[in-house]
Amino acid sequence: MLKINQLSASVEDKTILKGLNLEVKPGEVHAIMGPNGAGKSTLGYVLSGRDGYEVEGGSAELDGSDLLELEPEERARKGLFLAFQYPVEIPGVSNMEFMKAAVDAALEARGEEALSSAEFLKRAKQACKQVQLPLEFLKRGVNEGFSGGEKKRNEIMQMLLLEPKLAILDESDSGLDIDALKVVADGVNSQRDGQRSFIVVTHYQRLLDYIEPDYVHVLSDGKIVKSGDASLAKELEAQGYAWLQGYEDKNGAEEPVA
Amino acid sequence: MSQWFESAIVRAEQVNDWLSPVRAEALQTLKRASWPTRKTEAWKYLSLRRLEKSEFAQQQESAQITPEIIEGLDSLDLTFVDGQLVDLPADLPAGLSIVSLQNATDSVKQWAGEIIGDIKPERHLFGLINDTLAQHGVIIDVAEGVSVERPIRISYMSSEGSEAHTRVLVRVASNASVTVIEQAQNKHNSLHTSVAEYAIHEQAELTHYGLMMGGGAAMHVAGMHFRLAQQATLNSHLVGFGSELNRLDVDVQHRGEQADANINAVYLLRDAEVFDLHSTIEHEVPHCTTDENVRGIVADRSKAVFNGRIHIHRDAQKTLAELNNKNLLLSREAQINTKPELEIYADDVKCAHGATVAEIDKKALYYLQSRGISREQALVMLNFGFINALVDEMPHSALAEWLRPILRNRFASMDVQ
């Protein structure tokens, strides 16, 4: 499904990704862990096409099409979804209007018929309930005045409605209490159908107690330096990241599970 | 010098009716006034050159133009076509009286004669012109304690080549409430001056809409002037776009304590449209509040002018006043001239003002695109959202629902660079 080969990318002339390789097959869940500043968020931004993230080399293909050549919206229509670490607030644009436009675009790209307003509303309400957000959030401006946890749940709600092929969750667990964490994890697990793939980017092992990964990768200094199965996450949790490359753990990676 | 202005003064000499005392005084002032040029502060960014040499038909058959229908809005309709009042609602609810200027009874003349021209500040040149020339108009009176449920809608319409001067006077007696919609729909090459004066008495409430939605060559200079007594409330929603000479002067006078004025204004301009909004809020007494939010989007070669002044007099302690102007500039050739002014002579007040000119928020754009929404559609949504936040605050949902697609279509047609 996703093939990343020797991907290098920079932000403001600083090289962040330095030859990253990753292959994700249909139905797989990959966790990417690593210290702050390793390039975890950059990977999501580069794949989704954020302005200012310059690709310097390598390739990234989704189902055979070259992602890096496409506009952000075209990547989304190919089935790529990024759950943001810091979702943007957009007052004046309602969640409903936003999601309807996004779902319309996704359906059109898949060659499916557009939903009637009534059918869309029904699905939106369902998704809203699933992530335990009050229904009135649909009418509010996109993320306007939402708490950190509500924003994360809103991201998951969007994922549920868009039904992407590949979802990248960028630290969807940060700043969440245990109940919210379960909501996020349930959202992901409910979408695991043997075909849909996930890349779960996280700093801590905690989320992986609820979303069980097939593979765990350690990203450090722009490269994947170690890969393993779920047990690698536990190892990292116990030992931190310092042992990998003599990385000085300044960022509290060894903080115990809440 | 303006040929048109000279001819207006000549014509003004010939008007003779029960308002002659008001007209004579205005004419005296007018004769001393000079025609605005680029050096005139109040007209610095709006050229009157096209008007200067214009000639219009003075008397003509009223054209058959009917106001747009706003679905779901159950309004009492008053329609001016080429300055003539062609439509007055029958079956008025108890406590509401509407009479034309020409048919005013003696008792109406008595109270109206005292405030007409008095709420409107003297400094407005076109206000003075309207004083002398406006022979058609309406006087609306809401009796004490009466709440008029149905909104009153005043439509201003002009046909090709016409010149019109219309006048509106509204008295909202104490504890009464009413909604008045002023809707300009001038589409053709024409000149229209409109002056509306509102006396809002103790604990009365006025909901007001000023929709300056002209077209192409229509020239409209409007004044909307409000005087608030103790604990009176004004909620005004202003919209401007559509023509190349579109000017609105808004004045609010806080005359009684604890009066409250809320003004939301939006403009969205394309092609070579020009909208010029001047607002002046006079805080003359203590404990009053003003909240003014003005948002605009300018595209293509269009131009917006906003001059918002809040004047807090020496006695107006404990005033709360906020003035905010936010703009989005969609093209390098578009222009915004914004000047928020706070003039404070009292020492115990809370005031804030600010103006911003920005381009589209790139993070928001990327966020929408990352969800599969095209760049073009995302820009429309973001532009629209910026304005829609104020449309959302309109209490008459039928009006908001009617306005939204009109605004949306304007955005969709705007060229974004």
Side-chain angles (χ1 to χ4, degrees):
Chain A
M1 172 165 297
L2 178 71
K3 276 187 194 158
I4 302 175
N5 190 24
Q6 287 296 316
L7 184 63
S8 296
S10 63
V11 185
E12 290 173 354
D13 294 330
K14 194 180 169 214
T15 305
I16 309 283
L17 298 183
K18 302 171 180 172
L20 186 140
N21 293 304
L22 181 68
E23 180 165 359
V24 179
K25 295 205 172 78
E28 291 179 349
V29 176
H30 290 242
I32 294 182
M33 303 181 71
N36 287 340
K40 298 194 301 292
S41 290
T42 300
L43 177 62
Y45 291 146
V46 170
L47 290 180
S48 71
R50 182 168 186 170
D51 235 14
Y53 286 71
E54 299 296 331
V55 175
E56 293 181 335
S59 64
E61 289 181 359
L62 184 67
D63 283 340
S65 40
D66 181 1
L67 273 184
L68 305 177
E69 286 297 306
L70 302 175
E71 292 297 315
E73 62 266 38
E74 292 167 332
R75 302 178 194 208
R77 292 171 191 175
K78 295 269 179 208
L80 179 75
F81 180 87
L82 172 66
F84 284 72
Q85 186 179 2
Y86 303 109
V88 184
E89 295 199 20
I90 313 176
V93 177
S94 77
N95 242 336
M96 272 294 269
E97 182 193 3
F98 164 52
M99 284 316 301
K100 178 81 165 71
V103 169
D104 283 352
L107 290 175
E108 198 190 322
R110 298 204 290 259
E112 294 175 32
E113 227 171 282
L115 297 179
S116 69
S117 299
E119 179 60 25
F120 173 75
L121 185 66
K122 205 174 113 191
R123 290 199 197 179
K125 282 181 176 171
Q126 246 167 13
C128 206
K129 271 189 201 146
Q130 192 178 336
V131 297
Q132 297 177 21
L133 283 175
L135 289 180
E136 56 109 7
F137 274 55
L138 293 171
K139 284 193 197 156
R140 281 179 40 186
V142 175
N143 292 317
E144 187 184 1
F146 289 20
S147 71
E150 286 164 348
K151 285 179 184 167
K152 297 289 172 73
R153 280 187 268 168
N154 197 18
E155 295 291 291
I156 300 302
M157 178 170 83
Q158 292 169 29
M159 185 187 75
L160 295 175
L161 283 167
L162 289 170
E163 303 181 318
K165 282 188 199 161
L166 171 71
I168 304 169
L169 277 67
D170 186 9
E171 305 213 12
S172 295
D173 54 335
S174 66
L176 295 190
D177 63 24
I178 200 75
D179 291 330
L181 190 75
K182 280 183 187 165
V183 168
V184 167
D186 287 349
V188 171
N189 290 329
S190 74
Q191 296 275 289
R192 291 178 76 165
D193 59 0
Q195 287 304 309
R196 186 167 292 125
S197 310
F198 295 88
I199 297 175
V200 180
V201 176
T202 181
H203 198 81
Y204 305 115
Q205 198 262 336
R206 191 173 67 147
L207 180 64
L208 305 179
D209 286 341
Y210 300 95
I211 303 172
E212 202 186 326
D214 300 305
Y215 299 94
V216 174
H217 309 279
V218 180
L219 183 64
S220 177
D221 195 27
K223 279 190 286 233
I224 287 178
V225 294
K226 195 171 167 67
S227 297
D229 60 14
S231 65
L232 177 58
K234 297 218 163 55
E235 216 174 306
L236 288 169
E237 188 69 18
Q239 304 189 25
Y241 296 108
W243 60 278
L244 279 165
Q245 292 200 328
Y247 173 82
E248 297 242 329
D249 185 11
K250 295 172 290 200
N251 303 298
E254 290 183 68
E255 189 181 299
V257 177
Chain B
M1 195 59 187
S2 158
Q3 287 170 17
W4 176 83
F5 186 44
E6 284 173 19
S7 99
I9 287 180
V10 172
R11 280 181 277 134
E13 306 265 17
Q14 293 148 21
V15 178
N16 189 10
D17 62 6
W18 65 277
L19 284 169
S20 287
V22 177
R23 299 188 196 281
E25 207 185 307
L27 188 58
Q28 286 312 310
T29 316
L30 257 192
K31 283 179 172 169
R32 291 193 305 270
S34 47
W35 182 249
T37 66
R38 292 273 160 162
K39 289 186 182 135
T40 313
E41 183 61 26
W43 293 90
K44 202 168 169 183
Y45 301 106
L46 181 59
S47 168
L48 291 169
R49 196 164 302 158
R50 189 159 70 88
L51 173 60
E52 284 168 13
K53 298 208 163 27
S54 293
E55 281 179 50
F56 300 98
Q58 297 310 323
Q59 294 290 334
Q60 61 182 45
E61 292 268 315
S62 273
Q64 291 292 313
I65 324 175
T66 49
E68 262 179 85
I69 289 169
I70 299 177
E71 207 175 312
L73 185 77
D74 178 23
S75 54
L76 295 159
D77 275 297
L78 292 160
T79 306
F80 288 101
V81 176
D82 296 336
Q84 310 261 359
L85 188 60
V86 295
D87 193 14
L88 257 182
D91 298 331
L92 296 180
L96 173 65
S97 121
I98 301 179
V99 294
S100 74
L101 208 60
Q102 289 165 323
N103 296 329
T105 59
D106 285 346
S107 67
V108 170
K109 284 177 185 169
Q110 201 170 8
W111 70 262
E114 275 177 28
I115 54 175
I116 209 160
D118 194 42
I119 299 176
K120 169 181 69 62
E122 199 188 75
R123 67 173 184 282
H124 299 304
L125 182 82
F126 283 83
L128 292 167
I129 291 170
N130 188 284
D131 280 344
T132 63
L133 288 175
Q135 297 176 69
H136 298 277
V138 284
I139 299 171
I140 298 170
D141 192 17
V142 186
E144 199 176 323
V146 171
S147 285
V148 180
E149 291 301 322
R150 290 171 72 187
I152 298 166
R153 177 164 78 135
I154 304 168
S155 297
Y156 303 121
M157 328 206 45
S158 294
S159 59
E160 182 74 26
S162 69
E163 174 178 335
H165 305 277
T166 54
R167 194 81 182 199
V168 171
L169 179 64
V170 179
R171 179 169 76 169
V172 193
S174 51
N175 292 300
S177 69
V178 69
T179 296
V180 178
I181 302 162
E182 289 185 68
Q183 185 182 359
Q185 306 168 54
N186 303 318
K187 303 280 186 227
H188 307 281
N189 178 25
S190 57
L191 170 70
H192 184 192
T193 77
S194 63
V195 169
E197 293 173 288
Y198 296 87
I200 313 168
H201 288 221
E202 287 78 11
Q203 297 178 0
E205 194 176 334
L206 173 69
T207 301
H208 173 262
Y209 296 88
L211 310 176
M212 302 281 290
M213 297 158 61
M219 296 183 265
H220 189 179
V221 183
M224 300 175 186
H225 315 284
F226 308 89
R227 178 179 290 167
L228 277 68
Q230 198 168 339
Q231 293 179 357
T233 304
L234 165 68
N235 289 304
S236 180
H237 304 265
L238 309 172
V239 177
F241 61 77
S243 72
E244 292 172 21
L245 203 167
N246 200 0
R247 164 73 177 237
L248 173 58
D249 287 288
V250 172
D251 293 278
V252 175
Q253 300 156 25
H254 288 288
R255 284 284 177 86
E257 294 193 12
Q258 291 170 313
D260 181 24
N262 302 289
I263 299 171
N264 282 345
V266 298
Y267 43 83
L268 37 147
L269 312 176
R270 65 184 183 200
D271 304 324
E273 294 172 6
V274 181
F275 180 60
D276 183 338
L277 173 61
H278 271 61
S279 76
T280 301
I281 318 291
E282 299 282 356
H283 279 269
E284 298 173 20
V285 296
H287 295 288
C288 293
T289 56
T290 294
D291 189 3
E292 186 175 359
N293 278 298
V294 180
R295 288 190 177 190
I297 296 178
V298 292
D300 304 331
R301 292 154 290 132
S302 66
K303 181 160 78 172
V305 184
F306 174 63
N307 188 304
R309 177 168 175 257
I310 296 185
H311 179 191
I312 298 169
H313 296 237
R314 210 186 52 184
D315 293 335
Q317 301 294 1
K318 305 283 182 194
T319 292
L320 295 177
E322 264 193 63
L323 169 65
N324 205 313
N325 175 223
K326 289 185 184 167
N327 295 285
L328 278 180
L329 202 53
L330 297 192
S331 129
R332 303 279 168 210
E333 287 170 87
Q335 208 186 94
I336 294 162
N337 302 282
T338 174
K339 191 175 172 194
E341 295 176 81
L342 264 179
E343 210 173 310
I344 305 176
Y345 297 98
D347 54 12
D348 186 12
V349 299
K350 253 193 184 160
C351 299
H353 73 316
T356 57
V357 177
E359 297 181 24
I360 284 280
D361 179 356
K362 291 220 163 61
K363 268 195 305 198
L365 181 62
Y366 160 61
Y367 188 67
L368 295 184
Q369 283 180 281
S370 81
R371 296 297 180 252
I373 298 168
S374 72
R375 183 184 157 81
E376 293 70 32
Q377 195 186 355
L379 286 169
V380 171
M381 286 171 80
L382 291 174
N383 288 343
F384 185 69
F386 176 73
I387 293 286
N388 191 40
L390 294 188
V391 176
D392 278 346
E393 291 182 16
M394 292 183 172
H396 289 77
S397 56
L399 210 54
E401 295 304 320
W402 169 77
L403 203 54
R404 266 192 204 103
I406 295 175
L407 301 183
R408 210 186 278 271
N409 287 340
R410 285 186 77 77
F411 289 134
S413 72
M414 282 178 181
D415 229 0
V416 180
Q417 291 176 1

